[in-house]
Amino acid sequence: MADSNRATFRRFHDVLNTGDAEAISKIIDEVVAPDLIFHAPVPMGATGVQALKHVWTVLLRAFPDLRVEIEDVIAEGDKVVVRNTVTGTHRGEYRDLPPTGRSVRYDEIFIFRFAGGRIAEVWGVVDVFAQMRQLGVVPGGAP
């Protein structure tokens, strides 16, 4: 089960890094359960698959060159845990902040629980503080 889940996650991840919103929406429909339970530090009114699609719409609008590099993957039983480094350039509105043209680099960790071969639940820990500091919202960021 762990190897199959890891392979599904890799397919999902590879499409996320294309920056192609339509392809991302299709892979979400393919590998994510419609009633996904999504725990992440993202304010929104959407739930399930729509919440995940909303996150990617917002991220790609704000950071069209967004790149998620996998640092570690651990798969055991019905879970896949991933530690990532995210990079991108702020070219669109993000969290009510107009484009700054600044680059960001931040870390995140996600736990994906699988059921029936699909992602059924996601927990995310994103270093939003580092992101906001680099965008100049929090003191100590790049000028």
Side-chain angles (χ1 to χ4, degrees), residues 56-83:
W56 279 97
T57 298
V58 168
L59 286 173
L60 290 175
R61 190 175 328 134
F63 305 95
D65 62 344
L66 189 78
R67 188 90 181 137
V68 180
E69 293 297 326
I70 297 172
E71 304 295 342
D72 291 300
V73 177
I74 301 166
E76 186 173 318
D78 65 348
K79 293 193 179 71
V80 174
V81 179
V82 186
R83 182 177 65 89

Side-chain angles (χ1 to χ4, degrees), residues 13 16-17 56 66-70 82 84-87 108:
H13 174 265
L16 296 179
N17 268 340
W56 279 97
L66 189 78
R67 188 90 181 137
V68 180
E69 293 297 326
I70 297 172
V82 186
N84 300 315
T85 299
V86 181
T87 57
E108 59 184 21

Side-chain angles (χ1 to χ4, degrees), residues 3 5 17 20 26 31 48 50 66 71 73 76 79-80 84 87 95 106 110 118 131-132 137:
D3 288 341
N5 293 342
N17 268 340
D20 180 337
K26 284 177 71 175
V31 303
Q50 293 309 312
L66 189 78
E71 304 295 342
V73 177
E76 186 173 318
K79 293 193 179 71
V80 174
N84 300 315
T87 57
R95 297 185 180 236
Y106 58 93
F110 280 89
R118 298 178 94 174
Q131 188 185 66
M132 294 292 103
V137 175

